[in-house]
Amino acid sequence: QPQLVESGGGSVQSGGSLRLSCAASGITYTRYSMGWFRQAPGKEREAVAVIDNEGSTTYADSVEGRFAISQDYAKNTVYLQMMDLAPEDTAMYYCAAASGSLGNSPYALQIWRYTLWGQGTQVTVSS
């Protein structure tokens, strides 16, 4: 069945870097836009970055210039390279898939469009 499995989370100090991975299975990967989302304790889930099946990317303002999303079609895997991490980046990070090409637009960051979710991976940034 369709499944997304995240990995790569951990604890780092402020200014550090991490790379998250999300392996997809049970879906026709090339038909989906893939996104990373995060949820901090007591806060709503928010979109971080999206890459669609044509390679177009969209970023939340809070991570623009620090995070980079990419994908490997051969491995059905999407990555999130996170740099210059700050304590406010601490959250559970989730990978999700939405059918179709969402392109480079604010629509790509709308959480309701994503119907398949992973279990999450924790990122903790200490000051």
Side-chain angles (χ1 to χ4, degrees), residues 38-73:
R38 66 186 181 186
Q39 187 167 18
K43 295 187 176 181
E44 293 187 354
R45 191 169 298 189
E46 63 177 358
V48 174
V50 173
I51 186 166
D52 76 4
N53 52 4
E54 296 178 355
S56 295
T57 58
T58 307
Y59 293 92
D61 290 343
S62 59
V63 305
E64 182 84 56
R66 299 188 300 123
F67 291 12
I69 189 169
S70 62
Q71 60 190 346
D72 184 336
Y73 287 116

Coordinates of all heavy atoms in Angstrom, one line a residue, residues 38-73:
R38 N 5.9 20.8 8.9 CA 6.4 20.6 10.3 C 5.4 21.1 11.3 O 4.5 21.9 11.0 CB 7.7 21.4 10.5 CG 7.6 22.9 10.4 CD 9.0 23.5 10.5 NE 8.9 25.0 10.4 CZ 10.0 25.8 10.4 NH1 11.2 25.3 10.3 NH2 9.8 27.1 10.3
Q39 N 5.5 20.5 12.5 CA 4.6 20.9 13.6 C 5.3 20.9 14.9 O 5.9 19.9 15.3 CB 3.4 19.9 13.7 CG 2.3 20.4 14.6 CD 1.1 19.5 14.5 OE1 1.1 18.5 13.9 NE2 0.0 20.1 15.0
A40 N 5.4 22.1 15.5 CA 6.0 22.3 16.8 C 5.0 22.1 17.9 O 3.8 22.3 17.6 CB 6.6 23.7 16.9
P41 N 5.4 21.7 19.1 CA 4.4 21.5 20.2 C 3.6 22.7 20.4 O 4.1 23.9 20.5 CB 5.4 21.3 21.4 CG 6.6 20.7 20.8 CD 6.8 21.4 19.5
G42 N 2.3 22.5 20.4 CA 1.3 23.6 20.7 C 1.0 24.5 19.5 O 0.3 25.5 19.6
K43 N 1.6 24.1 18.3 CA 1.4 24.9 17.1 C 0.7 24.1 16.0 O 0.8 22.9 16.0 CB 2.7 25.5 16.6 CG 3.3 26.5 17.6 CD 4.5 27.2 17.0 CE 5.1 28.3 17.9 NZ 6.3 28.9 17.3
E44 N 0.1 24.8 15.1 CA -0.5 24.1 13.9 C 0.6 23.6 13.0 O 1.7 24.2 12.9 CB -1.4 25.1 13.2 CG -2.7 25.4 14.0 CD -3.7 26.2 13.2 OE1 -3.4 26.6 12.1 OE2 -4.7 26.5 13.7
R45 N 0.3 22.6 12.2 CA 1.2 22.1 11.2 C 1.3 23.2 10.1 O 0.3 23.8 9.7 CB 0.7 20.8 10.6 CG 1.6 20.1 9.8 CD 1.2 18.7 9.4 NE 1.0 17.9 10.6 CZ 0.8 16.5 10.6 NH1 0.7 15.9 9.5 NH2 0.7 15.9 11.7
E46 N 2.5 23.4 9.6 CA 2.8 24.3 8.6 C 3.6 23.8 7.5 O 4.4 22.8 7.7 CB 3.5 25.6 9.2 CG 4.9 25.3 9.7 CD 5.6 26.6 10.2 OE1 5.0 27.7 10.1 OE2 6.7 26.4 10.7
A47 N 3.4 24.3 6.3 CA 4.2 23.9 5.1 C 5.6 24.5 5.2 O 5.8 25.6 5.6 CB 3.5 24.3 3.8
V48 N 6.5 23.7 4.7 CA 7.9 24.1 4.7 C 8.4 24.3 3.3 O 8.9 25.3 2.9 CB 8.8 23.1 5.4 CG1 10.3 23.5 5.3 CG2 8.4 23.0 6.9
A49 N 8.3 23.2 2.5 CA 8.8 23.3 1.1 C 8.1 22.2 0.3 O 7.7 21.1 0.8 CB 10.3 23.0 1.1
V50 N 7.9 22.5 -1.0 CA 7.3 21.5 -1.9 C 8.0 21.5 -3.2 O 8.6 22.5 -3.7 CB 5.8 22.0 -2.2 CG1 5.2 21.1 -3.3 CG2 5.0 22.0 -0.9
I51 N 8.1 20.3 -3.8 CA 8.6 20.1 -5.1 C 7.6 19.3 -5.9 O 7.1 18.3 -5.4 CB 10.0 19.4 -5.1 CG1 10.6 19.4 -6.5 CG2 10.0 18.0 -4.5 CD1 12.2 19.0 -6.4
D52 N 7.3 19.7 -7.1 CA 6.3 19.0 -7.9 C 7.0 18.0 -8.9 O 8.2 17.9 -8.9 CB 5.3 19.9 -8.5 CG 5.9 20.6 -9.7 OD1 7.0 20.4 -10.2 OD2 5.1 21.5 -10.3
N53 N 6.2 17.3 -9.6 CA 6.7 16.3 -10.5 C 7.4 16.9 -11.8 O 7.8 16.1 -12.6 CB 5.6 15.3 -10.9 CG 4.4 15.9 -11.4 OD1 4.3 17.1 -11.6 ND2 3.4 15.1 -11.6
E54 N 7.4 18.2 -11.9 CA 8.2 18.9 -12.9 C 9.4 19.6 -12.4 O 10.1 20.2 -13.1 CB 7.3 19.8 -13.7 CG 6.1 19.1 -14.4 CD 5.2 20.1 -15.1 OE1 5.4 21.3 -14.9 OE2 4.2 19.7 -15.8
G55 N 9.6 19.4 -11.1 CA 10.8 20.0 -10.5 C 10.6 21.4 -9.9 O 11.6 22.0 -9.4
S56 N 9.4 22.0 -10.1 CA 9.2 23.3 -9.5 C 9.1 23.2 -8.0 O 8.6 22.3 -7.4 CB 7.9 23.9 -10.1 OG 8.0 24.1 -11.5
T57 N 9.7 24.2 -7.4 CA 9.8 24.3 -5.9 C 9.1 25.5 -5.3 O 9.0 26.6 -6.0 CB 11.2 24.2 -5.4 OG1 11.9 25.4 -6.0 CG2 11.9 23.0 -5.9
T58 N 8.6 25.3 -4.2 CA 8.0 26.4 -3.4 C 8.4 26.3 -2.0 O 8.5 25.2 -1.4 CB 6.4 26.3 -3.5 OG1 6.0 26.2 -4.8 CG2 5.8 27.6 -2.8
Y59 N 8.7 27.5 -1.4 CA 9.2 27.5 0.0 C 8.4 28.4 0.9 O 7.9 29.5 0.4 CB 10.7 27.9 0.1 CG 11.6 27.0 -0.6 CD1 12.0 27.1 -1.9 CD2 12.2 25.9 0.2 CE1 12.9 26.2 -2.5 CE2 13.1 25.0 -0.4 CZ 13.4 25.2 -1.8 OH 14.3 24.3 -2.4
A60 N 8.3 28.1 2.1 CA 7.7 29.0 3.1 C 8.7 30.1 3.3 O 9.9 29.9 3.2 CB 7.4 28.3 4.4
D61 N 8.2 31.3 3.6 CA 9.1 32.5 3.8 C 10.1 32.2 4.9 O 11.2 32.7 4.8 CB 8.3 33.7 4.1 CG 7.4 34.2 2.9 OD1 7.8 33.8 1.7 OD2 6.5 35.0 3.1
S62 N 9.7 31.5 5.9 CA 10.5 31.3 7.1 C 11.8 30.5 6.8 O 12.7 30.5 7.6 CB 9.7 30.7 8.2 OG 9.2 29.4 7.8
V63 N 11.8 29.7 5.7 CA 12.9 28.8 5.4 C 13.6 29.2 4.1 O 14.6 28.6 3.7 CB 12.5 27.3 5.4 CG1 11.8 27.0 6.7 CG2 11.6 27.0 4.2
E64 N 13.0 30.1 3.3 CA 13.6 30.5 2.0 C 15.1 30.9 2.2 O 15.4 31.7 3.1 CB 12.8 31.7 1.5 CG 13.3 32.1 0.1 CD 12.7 31.3 -1.0 OE1 11.5 31.2 -1.1 OE2 13.5 30.8 -1.8
G65 N 15.9 30.3 1.4 CA 17.3 30.6 1.5 C 18.1 29.7 2.4 O 19.4 29.7 2.4
R66 N 17.4 29.0 3.3 CA 18.1 28.2 4.3 C 17.9 26.7 4.0 O 18.7 25.8 4.3 CB 17.7 28.5 5.7 CG 18.0 29.9 6.2 CD 17.7 30.0 7.7 NE 16.3 29.8 8.0 CZ 15.9 28.8 8.9 NH1 16.8 28.1 9.5 NH2 14.6 28.7 9.1
F67 N 16.7 26.4 3.5 CA 16.3 25.0 3.2 C 16.3 24.8 1.7 O 16.0 25.7 0.9 CB 14.9 24.7 3.8 CG 14.9 24.6 5.3 CD1 15.9 25.0 6.1 CD2 13.8 24.1 5.9 CE1 15.9 25.0 7.5 CE2 13.7 24.0 7.3 CZ 14.7 24.5 8.1
A68 N 16.6 23.5 1.3 CA 16.5 23.2 -0.1 C 15.8 21.8 -0.3 O 16.3 20.9 0.3 CB 17.9 23.2 -0.8
I69 N 14.8 21.8 -1.1 CA 14.1 20.5 -1.4 C 14.6 20.0 -2.7 O 14.8 20.7 -3.7 CB 12.6 20.7 -1.3 CG1 11.9 19.3 -1.4 CG2 12.1 21.6 -2.4 CD1 10.4 19.4 -1.1
S70 N 14.7 18.7 -2.8 CA 15.2 18.0 -4.0 C 14.6 16.6 -4.0 O 14.0 16.1 -3.0 CB 16.7 18.0 -4.1 OG 17.2 17.2 -3.1
Q71 N 14.7 15.9 -5.2 CA 14.2 14.6 -5.3 C 15.0 13.7 -6.2 O 15.7 14.3 -7.1 CB 12.7 14.6 -5.7 CG 12.4 15.2 -7.0 CD 10.9 15.4 -7.3 OE1 10.1 14.8 -6.6 NE2 10.6 16.1 -8.3
D72 N 14.9 12.4 -6.0 CA 15.6 11.5 -6.8 C 14.6 10.5 -7.3 O 14.1 9.7 -6.6 CB 16.7 10.7 -6.0 CG 17.5 9.8 -6.8 OD1 17.1 9.3 -7.9 OD2 18.6 9.5 -6.4
Y73 N 14.2 10.6 -8.6 CA 13.2 9.8 -9.2 C 13.6 8.3 -9.2 O 12.8 7.5 -9.1 CB 12.9 10.2 -10.6 CG 12.1 11.5 -10.7 CD1 12.7 12.7 -11.3 CD2 10.8 11.6 -10.2 CE1 12.0 13.8 -11.4 CE2 10.1 12.8 -10.3 CZ 10.7 13.9 -10.9 OH 10.0 15.1 -11.0

